[in-house]
């Protein structure tokens, strides 16, 4: 933290909660930002493309949310460091981080055919991106009275749901699904390390929602998918940590 932080907005009693949602320019991330904005929180719209980011901020503000733009490419160290600096300068802390940004990793996804570059991209974005962003922002989260981290996972990251005979969730997927399993495993390790800090970190499964990610084949709306993330972002102190939830409750690993 530098001396500019002396001038940031103090986290006084009653000061609005400050949240950052990665990949918030569209889809479920946009709806998470809208949902957090509806709680009266200040919401950072993390997005890599300036035009799409500013359009989302404008739309969220038109809907009544106190939204602001945060330039952010989760695969880029310098971009993530700059986002942390922006939040440090402006607020001196972060209360809630929603790691939502993700990619599928192209096609084909059959393990015998998959392009290793696409596997790398899925892991770089969906797993390393989450670690990169989380670790850069942890110093700011540690300054919050009730820090929360929500990692957007998927039912396709559940090995149980993937392998239960007759119930295999989702298509064959050698990049995207394993990246979410990896994310689940890493999140459990974060929860173990952060157990005594007051930071609650959980995984959210939005269900199959119609977004660009799946060519809008999903059967739920992005807003329905966002609801579990909003709920986990607003957990009370003493709530669960290291869990994997959809809106109906815990999911199998
Ligand atoms: P989406 O519409 O494709 O949106 C993905 C978002 O991630 C976009 O804003 C995209 O930004 C951003 N993003 C991708 N790579 C990025 C990077 N390197 N840096 C910053 N932002 C990046 O997907 P979605 O369906 O809303 O998915 C949101 C989350 O829910 C993901 O974690 C996904 O895995 C999870 N999920 C979705 C479903 C579903 O049915 N849709 C089901 C289970 C889980 P650009 O516009 O710049 O590409």
């Amino acid at each position: 933290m530098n001396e500019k932080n002396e001038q940031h907005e103090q986290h006084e009693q009653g000061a609005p909660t400050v949240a950052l949602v990665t990949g918030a320019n569209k889809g479920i991330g946009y709806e998470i930002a809208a949902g957090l904005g509806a709680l009266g929180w200040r919401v950072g719209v993390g997005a890599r493309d300036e035009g799409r980011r500013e359009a989302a901020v404008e739309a969220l503000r038109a809907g009544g949310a106190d939204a602001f733009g945060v330039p952010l490419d989760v695969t880029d160290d310098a971009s993530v460091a700059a986002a942390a600096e922006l939040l440090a300068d402006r607020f001196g802390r972060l209360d809630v981080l929603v790691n939502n940004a993700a990619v599928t990793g192209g096609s084909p996804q059959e393990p015998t055919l998959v392009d290793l570059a696409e596997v790398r991209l899925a892991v770089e974005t969906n797993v390393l991106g989450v670690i990169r962003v989380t670790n850069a922002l942890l110093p700011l989260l540690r300054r919050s009275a009730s820090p929360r981290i929500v990692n957007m996972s998927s039912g396709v990251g559940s090995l149980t749901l993937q392998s239960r005979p007759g119930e295999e969730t989702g298509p064959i997927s050698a990049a995207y699904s394993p990246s979410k399993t990896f994310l689940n495993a890493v999140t459990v390790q974060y929860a173990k390390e952060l157990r005594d800090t007051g930071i609650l970190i959980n995984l959210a499964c939005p269900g199959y929602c119609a977004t660009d990610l799946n060519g809008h084949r999903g059967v739920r709306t992005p807003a329905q998918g966002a609801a579990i993330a909003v709920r986990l972002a607003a957990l009370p102190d003493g709530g669960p940590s290291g869990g994997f939830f959809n809106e109906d409750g815990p999911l199998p690993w």
Side-chain angles (χ1 to χ4, degrees):
M1 301 299 153
N2 58 35
E3 62 191 18
K4 276 189 279 180
N5 293 322
E6 300 305 320
Q7 294 155 18
H8 61 64
E9 299 170 34
Q10 296 299 305
H11 192 196
E12 291 153 359
Q13 203 68 24
T17 298
V18 180
L20 173 67
V21 183
T22 72
N25 56 289
K26 66 178 181 179
I28 297 167
Y30 176 90
E31 294 296 342
I32 295 169
L36 301 183
L39 297 176
W41 295 3
R42 309 197 71 173
V43 188
V45 175
R48 52 188 168 174
D49 179 85
E50 185 180 357
R52 290 198 290 272
R53 182 176 62 249
E54 290 316 311
V57 168
E58 205 174 303
L60 287 162
R61 293 186 73 87
D66 188 356
F68 59 95
V70 179
L72 179 61
D73 180 340
V74 303
T75 65
D76 184 284
D77 286 342
S79 170
V80 172
E85 189 73 17
L86 182 156
L87 292 165
D89 287 349
R90 187 152 172 191
F91 305 105
R93 73 174 200 289
L94 180 68
D95 300 301
V96 172
L97 169 63
V98 182
N99 286 304
N100 167 80
V103 296
T104 55
S107 62
Q109 290 258 338
E110 287 82 356
T112 57
L113 302 172
V114 74
D115 181 344
L116 289 186
E118 298 291 349
V119 179
R120 268 190 210 103
L121 179 63
V123 172
E124 184 63 54
T125 307
N126 306 354
V127 184
L128 306 189
V130 173
I131 298 173
R132 182 181 289 109
V133 171
T134 300
N135 289 355
L137 295 177
L138 261 176
L140 295 175
L141 286 159
R142 289 183 193 279
R143 291 181 167 200
S144 169
S146 298
R148 305 287 178 259
I149 302 170
V150 181
N151 291 341
M152 291 305 284
S153 185
S154 169
V156 304
S158 163
L159 291 176
T160 302
L161 295 176
Q162 285 284 298
S163 59
R164 200 183 273 163
E167 288 183 33
E168 299 93 346
T169 302
I172 294 170
S173 162
Y176 180 69
S177 297
S179 77
K180 293 298 187 181
T181 310
F182 191 169
L183 175 65
N184 289 359
V186 167
T187 302
V188 168
Q189 299 305 316
Y190 269 107
K192 283 172 69 176
E193 183 185 350
L194 299 174
R195 186 177 289 144
D196 300 319
T197 64
I199 299 174
L200 303 180
I201 179 168
N202 289 289
L203 293 147
C205 170
Y208 192 33
C209 304
T211 68
D212 287 352
L213 192 89
N214 51 36
H216 293 263
R217 284 185 296 273
V219 295
R220 289 160 58 80
T221 66
Q224 287 174 319
I228 181 63
V230 172
R231 199 190 306 171
L232 293 172
L235 281 175
D237 290 345
S241 192
F244 181 24
F245 302 97
N246 69 10
E247 65 186 15
D248 296 325
L251 287 169
W253 297 103

